[in-house]
Amino acid sequence: MRLSVAEARQRVLELGRSRRLPDESIGLEAAFGRVLAADVVAPHDQPPFANSAMDGFALRGSDLPAEGERRFRLAGQVFAGAASAPDCGEGECVRITTGAPLPRGTDTVVVKENVRLDGDTVVVGAGEAAGANVRPSGEDYRSGEIALHGGDRLTAARLGVLASLGGAAANVVRVPRVALFVTGDELVPPSQPLGFGQIHDSNRYSLGALLRQAGVEPGIVAHLRDDPDELRAALRDAGECCDLILSSGGVSAGEADFLPGLVAELGRVHFWKVRMKPGMPLLCGEIGRALVFSLPGNPVSTIATFLAFVRPALDALQGVTEPPRRWRARLAAPLIKRHDRAEFLRASLESGDDGTLRATPLRKQGSGMLRGVAEADALIFVPEDVHELQAGHVVDVLPLPGLS
Ligand code: AMP
Ligand code: MG
């Protein structure tokens, strides 16, 4: 039985989660894009001390004049990073810079543009608010609070949180070790001239880029001929050292399509063929300790099946808990689907002045035509049971990586 896209995706997520990779500790410089292995609890308040949000003068809010002006004696100064801060008594103020600790006794900062200096006296007018321009300690994170969650991917800002809480290293999940095989006797590298019946191998580069975008640098990259012995040896070796084997081509039911038989022989097939277009021949299995994704060789099928299944598998292997973000757009034109499979249609996306994201299906939709994806911003997902949609209908879209 061929699985639906939803069934296949569920299966992939279960397989990935059940093979969640081990933790490792890495320096913060290398942690961008990695997935946290466990919750991070704030070991101290952030900010660690009450400090000034502006350059100005720290004073007691209760000293502020309700009307007219009041003169404050300048008791000293405290700059960010100073070893200590002067005390501040009633009727006094302290010159302060942004990020400097509030002197004992003060609770308010008046910005420097709002005061007048008169020798050692600072003149403050009415209208200033008590407690203004102060960042209380623990305003951002309280000591003991969960600041980041296991399964969170470290974005630039989350990395900043980790550093601000004094995390010298990040406890993350190991990145999957991946083998990338492009298969086909007709393939030659882009650098070689084409002989009779040959084409340049493009999937190696598209898949390599998609992997890299997902934070994975494949450890093995090879072109394999449509030869069962060559394929068998490469698959078996990769099954011993990799967490995931990704192949393109040779997975349909043609004379030279050896992948399904070999995966069954060397390991196990979890499912073969998904009710989708393009990408129907997709196979998911395992060999040794590696999860196997054999993607169809058609360049568009390759990209669509990677985005729909391999990317979620890479996330699941790393324990990502955030569900993939759901993007929705309104169809800018009607569409008709003349088959019963789900379809991933190439589309351009436009964010209109009214704040609506609009998706326009592109004309070139052949699964062998790279132009269709090259000119697209996203894939529109059309469910199995939907055959016709009017303009304005809201659809799910899968943004193509690398555009933003
Ligand atoms: P296959 O899945 O092996 O039946 O291949 C389907 C189509 O994709 C054929 O036209 C292949 O020539 C083409 N193809 C397979 N692998 C690649 C590749 N790495 N780069 C570009 N086209 C490919
Ligand atoms: Mg082939």
Side-chain angles (χ1 to χ4, degrees):
M1 231 317 251
R2 294 173 185 179
L3 299 186
S4 69
V5 170
E7 289 163 341
R9 170 121 48 170
Q10 191 51 38
R11 197 84 181 78
V12 163
L13 291 178
E14 284 161 13
L15 285 164
R17 286 177 189 147
S18 68
R19 293 156 170 262
R20 199 266 208 185
L21 296 170
D23 305 355
E24 65 183 5
S25 179
I26 56 165
L28 296 192
E29 292 75 14
F32 175 65
R34 300 291 298 271
V35 180
L36 280 174
D39 293 350
V40 174
V41 175
H44 58 68
D45 277 357
Q46 174 59 22
F49 49 85
N51 65 94
S52 179
M54 300 292 274
D55 294 334
F57 295 87
L59 45 75
R60 294 163 189 243
S62 55
D63 282 352
L64 286 168
E67 51 194 35
E69 290 181 343
R70 178 158 183 187
R71 299 168 73 81
F72 291 79
R73 193 182 79 79
L74 188 56
Q77 61 181 33
V78 57
F79 290 176
S84 64
D87 285 350
C88 184
E90 203 184 323
E92 292 183 331
C93 70
V94 170
R95 189 192 298 273
I96 194 165
T97 62
T98 305
L102 279 201
R104 204 155 6 153
T106 69
D107 58 10
T108 301
V109 172
V110 178
V111 300
K112 67 179 195 194
E113 291 79 2
N114 289 4
V115 307
R116 210 173 66 241
L117 279 172
D118 183 5
D120 254 3
T121 302
V122 179
V123 185
V124 178
E128 299 296 334
N133 303 314
V134 169
R135 300 189 286 218
S137 76
E139 176 187 54
D140 213 356
Y141 295 99
R142 282 235 164 267
S143 175
E145 183 187 349
I146 295 178
L148 297 168
H149 292 89
D152 282 353
R153 214 175 254 290
L154 285 171
T155 58
R158 289 171 182 170
L159 207 46
V161 170
L162 208 52
S164 74
L165 296 176
N171 181 22
V172 295
V173 184
R174 181 163 70 63
V175 172
R177 298 187 180 122
V178 174
L180 170 58
F181 297 128
V182 285
T183 76
D185 286 347
E186 73 278 34
L187 304 178
V188 294
S191 54
Q192 261 180 42
L194 295 176
F196 176 78
Q198 292 182 326
I199 59 166
H200 292 304
D201 166 18
S202 65
N203 288 345
R204 173 195 290 236
Y205 303 94
S206 297
L207 285 174
L210 289 166
L211 283 170
R212 239 158 265 135
Q213 172 98 19
V216 173
E217 191 60 46
I220 301 173
V221 182
H223 168 217
L224 305 174
R225 286 177 300 125
D226 291 317
D227 170 63
D229 293 333
E230 185 173 325
L231 289 163
R232 184 183 291 108
L235 291 170
R236 187 185 288 135
D237 286 354
E240 280 168 18
C241 62
C242 291
D243 306 303
L244 191 139
I245 299 172
L246 192 56
S247 68
S248 95
V251 74
S252 305
E255 307 298 315
D257 291 331
F258 299 112
L259 266 298
L262 285 170
V263 177
E265 176 196 319
L266 298 169
R268 189 173 154 205
V269 174
H270 290 300
F271 61 84
W272 181 26
K273 298 191 175 166
V274 177
R275 300 197 299 270
M276 64 187 278
K277 185 176 186 277
M280 190 185 67
L282 171 75
L283 178 146
C284 171
E286 64 182 76
I287 294 175
R289 29 179 294 229
L291 209 49
V292 178
F293 285 93
S294 293
L295 315 185
N298 271 321
V300 184
S301 313
T302 307
I303 293 173
T305 47
F306 182 98
L307 291 178
F309 303 106
V310 183
R311 179 70 216 243
L314 293 169
D315 285 349
L317 284 169
Q318 292 173 82
V320 169
T321 49
E322 291 163 310
R325 193 161 301 196
R326 192 171 176 194
W327 296 96
R328 318 199 79 191
R330 275 189 197 283
L331 278 180
L335 64 81
I336 290 178
K337 174 162 82 66
R338 297 183 203 283
H339 55 79
D340 292 329
R341 288 181 267 158
E343 178 137 27
F344 289 87
L345 281 175
R346 276 63 82 200
S348 63
L349 282 184
E350 207 178 7
S351 176
D353 290 339
D354 59 354
T356 305
L357 199 59
R358 287 196 177 72
T360 311
L362 300 178
R363 288 217 325 282
K364 295 246 179 349
Q365 294 288 346
S367 65
M369 285 193 267
L370 262 177
R371 178 193 285 259
V373 245
E375 293 179 355
D377 303 312
L379 303 175
I380 297 175
F381 179 72
V382 189
E384 286 182 23
D385 53 353
V386 171
H387 294 93
E388 197 173 345
L389 290 173
Q390 303 303 322
H393 195 93
V394 176
V395 288
D396 280 298
V397 291
L398 209 57
L400 291 165
L403 286 168
S404 62

